[in-house]
Amino acid sequence: MIGVSVTKIDDVARLAGVSTATVSRALRGLPTVSAATRRRVLAAAEQLQYAVSPSASRLAGGRTGSVAVVVPRITRWFFGVVVEAVEDFLHEAGYDLLLHNLGGRERNRQRLVRTAALQKRVDAIMLVATPLRDAEMSALAALDLPGVTISSGAAVPSWPCVRIDDVAAARTATRHLLDLGHRRIAHISGDPDDELAFTAHLDRRRGYQEALRAAGLRPDPALDVESGFDIDGGTRATEELLRRGDPPTAIFAACDEMAMGALTALRDAGLRVPQDVSVIGIDDHALSGVLGLSTIAQPAAEQGRLAAKMLLDPLAGRGGGTDMGTVILPTRLVVRESTAPARAH
């Protein structure tokens, strides 16, 4: 049995028939190592029970081996799915994820950049739906680290971005309701006073209004209610719609969680879905299929994986990075039981 020593990487190299540098690159998932060589190195390392020292490996390369991922609220479905996908990808490449959950608080975002909390702690930064002000962008730029953003509301100049087309997704959702014969279509959306200035709901409102105008309808402010971008917010927004009288025949919710809140409020009001009111959201949340919710599915996990790849490729010398610009992933309409043709009145 080979004992613990600083030369153990040499043992792996001899057994695998490669250099120690190749062993190091293979075990860290870095480039210029073929799949066959990587498998041979991994097999040798396993046979010798060799575990690379993370601290030694990182110090030798002048890196921390960590990537910062900043999210507004980790409890929301979209952010949870993205972070899980990113963490899986980073783990496979030998990196750790340093999560910064802002918890919906503006002061947390300001502290993140004001105190240089990321300095010398990470090799790269990922912002997930976290817009920054000019001063905050300058503070991040001063760190001189690779970065990537996810979501149209998180664009940072010179950083690549992965997102969906929120305007187009909302148009598709609204057109689906219009095609079913609905004309009195309500929209429930996020709160513009949200501390973190989350902006996807603004693009989705624009798509909703564009679809109505394209159908010859004028958006009615009485049918557009803002609230929290979550289940409780959807419930409150729908309750407000119903209090205004003359309820809509359909509701487009800016996200599936708001749509779920709408389903609750409609049920509590004695209204049937979709017989009395049709409901559609955006996301394809894990519970949407269980609830029979029609939605615009967005590839949340794929956005996370692609953003992680865009970050790691430049670090590993594989190009990518800012050269990739903005990548817009497709969405698709998923029709379930919550939408149906409008009833004749």
Side-chain angles (χ1 to χ4, degrees):
M1 178 177 179
I2 297 176
V4 177
S5 74
V6 294
T7 61
K8 285 183 66 177
I9 192 170
D10 297 328
D11 299 318
V12 177
R14 279 193 294 272
L15 184 59
V18 298
S19 69
T20 56
T22 298
V23 171
S24 177
R25 288 196 299 269
L27 293 179
R28 295 174 60 203
L30 297 182
T32 69
V33 179
S34 69
T37 299
R38 178 178 172 81
R39 286 193 297 270
R40 196 161 70 248
V41 170
L42 291 175
E46 182 177 3
Q47 180 178 336
L48 297 175
Q49 297 182 329
Y50 173 75
V52 65
S53 166
S55 58
S57 177
R58 292 165 183 173
L59 287 173
R63 292 179 178 166
T64 68
S66 296
V67 171
V69 178
V70 183
V71 299
R73 296 177 181 86
I74 193 59
T75 55
R76 301 290 171 76
W77 173 83
F78 176 77
F79 303 125
V81 171
V82 167
V83 168
E84 183 177 23
V86 171
E87 186 169 34
D88 286 345
F89 192 96
L90 294 179
H91 177 74
E92 287 295 319
Y95 280 79
D96 296 325
L97 182 150
L98 181 62
L99 178 66
H100 287 270
N101 176 31
L102 302 183
R105 297 289 184 268
E106 167 74 15
R107 64 177 180 271
N108 291 342
R109 181 178 65 183
Q110 293 176 347
R111 185 182 304 118
L112 180 69
V113 295
R114 187 187 301 128
T115 63
L118 303 176
Q119 187 76 45
K120 298 182 180 179
R121 297 182 65 193
V122 298
D123 297 326
I125 305 169
M126 180 185 298
L127 296 180
V128 185
T130 307
L132 299 177
R133 295 181 174 86
D134 289 343
E136 295 164 343
M137 289 184 191
S138 297
L140 281 185
L143 297 177
D144 195 26
L145 293 172
V148 67
T149 65
I150 297 179
S151 157
S152 57
V156 176
S158 81
W159 283 14
C161 177
V162 180
R163 65 181 180 90
I164 64 168
D165 187 332
D166 288 292
V167 176
R171 280 199 302 261
T172 299
T174 308
R175 274 202 304 265
H176 171 62
L177 298 174
L178 290 165
D179 290 344
L180 290 173
H182 295 280
R183 291 299 177 268
R184 190 168 173 77
I185 301 172
H187 176 53
I188 58 176
S189 183
D191 184 356
D193 296 324
D194 184 295
E195 282 193 67
L196 293 179
F198 181 62
T199 61
H201 60 277
L202 300 178
D203 289 334
R204 294 174 188 182
R205 172 180 284 113
R206 195 174 89 195
Y208 157 77
Q209 293 175 344
E210 287 181 1
L212 291 181
R213 292 191 180 102
L217 302 174
R218 177 179 299 177
D220 183 352
L223 293 176
D224 196 336
V225 180
E226 296 165 339
S227 189
F229 210 66
D230 55 18
I231 294 175
D232 288 342
T235 300
R236 292 193 300 271
T238 305
E239 289 172 345
E240 173 61 25
L241 274 175
L242 299 179
R243 278 194 294 271
R244 294 178 180 182
D246 192 12
T249 65
I251 295 174
F252 162 49
C255 70
D256 280 1
E257 291 185 50
M258 292 197 80
M260 292 172 192
L263 295 177
T264 298
L266 293 170
R267 179 199 63 204
D268 292 347
L271 295 171
R272 299 167 299 165
V273 175
Q275 294 90 334
D276 300 317
V277 183
S278 287
V279 178
I280 190 170
I282 290 181
D283 276 339
D284 203 20
H285 187 288
L287 293 178
S288 295
V290 176
L291 297 174
L293 177 65
S294 292
T295 187
I296 306 298
Q298 67 162 316
E302 185 178 350
Q303 290 177 71
R305 286 190 293 268
L306 179 56
K309 184 177 187 303
M310 292 166 76
L311 266 188
L312 295 192
D313 278 356
L315 291 177
R318 290 191 291 265
T322 57
D323 294 339
M324 298 193 69
T326 297
V327 178
I328 300 177
L329 297 181
T331 58
R332 60 188 175 87
L333 172 64
V334 179
V335 179
R336 298 190 177 104
E337 294 84 0
S338 69
T339 51
R343 293 193 304 169
H345 291 281

